[in-house]
Amino acid sequence: MIIMSVDLGDARTGIAASDGGEGFAFPKGVIHERNKERLVAEIARYAADVSAGLIVVGYPKNMDGSAGFKAQECAATAEKIRAATGLPVELWDERCTTVSAHTALNYTDTRGKKRKNVVDAVAAVMILEDFLRFRKN
């Protein structure tokens, strides 16, 4: 089954998808949209394009494990994605994935505008890789 992951952001949302064997995660793009309704519609389009069977949405818990405002907002958006796609949607703890994505981009010396354009997709890949590892065990 192809699994798609979503790293929700205020201005940019990263999208990644697995292969059919759930072995690898690949960046699929970044959606530049602030309007939640249009964002959900675009996420649904990506899900249809990659033939996703499951969507994983990053769930930004606080470092103490509690769910703050941003996590609640992501949970509400995940419900809208579920309604728009008809697919199962799971929330996945994404603490520190954006920091890890920036670190990974440091190793490849990706800077400036190019970095800004890919960091959210890299974070979505990291969310999906973590989820895939969990499913295998």
Side-chain angles (χ1 to χ4, degrees):
M1 168 174 54
I2 295 172
I3 302 172
M4 188 175 95
S5 67
V6 179
D7 179 38
L8 293 167
D10 292 330
R12 291 178 307 279
T13 295
I15 305 291
S18 73
D19 62 322
E22 300 179 18
F24 299 96
F26 303 96
K28 291 298 180 181
V30 176
I31 301 169
H32 299 269
E33 183 60 68
R34 290 181 181 272
N35 178 281
K36 290 296 182 202
E37 288 75 28
R38 289 192 300 254
L39 174 62
V40 168
E42 191 67 14
I43 291 169
R45 187 187 64 76
Y46 267 92
D49 287 351
V50 301
S51 301
L54 171 69
I55 299 174
V56 176
V57 175
Y59 190 55
K61 290 182 180 179
N62 293 324
M63 292 309 285
D64 65 3
S66 64
F69 172 76
K70 191 66 176 166
Q72 293 169 1
E73 189 177 273
C74 286
T77 302
E79 284 303 316
K80 290 177 183 176
I81 294 168
R82 183 186 332 269
T85 62
L87 295 171
V89 176
E90 291 195 34
L91 295 172
W92 192 254
D93 187 355
E94 68 158 36
R95 283 179 278 187
C96 301
T97 55
T98 301
V99 173
S100 297
H102 279 287
T103 300
L105 292 171
N106 283 342
Y107 285 117
T108 61
D109 200 31
T110 305
R111 305 264 182 234
K113 195 178 230 182
K114 186 174 183 180
R115 177 191 204 108
K116 192 175 186 179
N117 288 333
V118 299
V119 69
D120 299 293
V122 172
V125 167
M126 291 180 165
I127 291 166
L128 185 52
E129 286 175 340
D130 190 38
F131 182 79
L132 293 174
R133 275 190 299 274
F134 173 79
R135 277 177 66 97
K136 283 185 181 179
N137 294 327

